[in-house]
Amino acid sequence: MADAVNLARGEVALKIDDVDLVLAGTMNGLAAVSAALQCKSLSDLWQRLAGVEVGATMAAIQFLTIKGDKAAALNKIQLRHFADCSVAFNDLISAHLDEAGEKGNESAATEAKTEAAKT
């Protein structure tokens, strides 16, 4: 039985054979994936996850899994699972991009407008 996911927190479900996982794009998890892959930027990290690069996929399952047996999933994963991984990673990334686009950095934007009005 699949664990429930909290879409409001950007959690996504991923099934590798009979192993149900819940992944989340936590800052600690993303930092660990980024470090493992030696990414130069957040854009680089997300591009590698969205493209389901083999190393990125393995690292993402290792570091972004918050529920489920990630060791069992890593032992069972095959190339045929990568389409599902792609969907999960893109949903995870989209959840954070949508949230950032809606909220943005309002205090910085307000401050920039105030400073521009002074000049």
Side-chain angles (χ1 to χ4, degrees), residues 7-62:
L7 299 175
R9 288 185 34 201
E11 295 177 0
V12 297
L14 177 61
K15 187 170 183 130
I16 306 294
D17 283 341
D18 61 344
V19 181
D20 291 310
L21 303 174
V22 176
L23 283 67
T26 64
M27 290 307 292
N28 285 338
L30 291 170
V33 175
S34 181
L37 300 174
Q38 300 179 345
C39 293
K40 302 291 185 214
S41 67
L42 192 56
S43 176
D44 182 27
L45 171 63
W46 282 351
Q47 183 177 23
R48 292 173 78 178
L49 287 174
V52 287
E53 178 183 309
V54 175
T57 299
M58 302 297 280
I61 291 171
Q62 175 67 37

Side-chain angles (χ1 to χ4, degrees), residues 7-10 93-104:
L7 299 175
R9 288 185 34 201
I93 293 165
S94 294
H96 289 285
L97 290 177
D98 290 345
E99 181 178 307
E102 289 174 10
K103 294 181 182 175

Side-chain angles (χ1 to χ4, degrees), residues 105-119:
N105 190 343
E106 294 170 9
S107 63
T110 302
E111 189 175 306
K113 287 179 186 176
T114 304
E115 288 300 315
K118 289 180 183 177
T119 59

Side-chain angles (χ1 to χ4, degrees), residues 55-101:
T57 299
M58 302 297 280
I61 291 171
Q62 175 67 37
F63 296 116
L64 301 180
T65 298
I66 60 169
K67 292 180 188 171
D69 188 347
K70 60 187 167 190
L74 289 169
N75 284 331
K76 293 183 177 200
I77 196 165
Q78 297 178 11
L79 290 177
R80 64 185 168 88
H81 298 115
F82 277 47
D84 291 337
C85 292
S86 177
V87 170
F89 298 156
N90 280 302
D91 287 350
L92 185 143
I93 293 165
S94 294
H96 289 285
L97 290 177
D98 290 345
E99 181 178 307

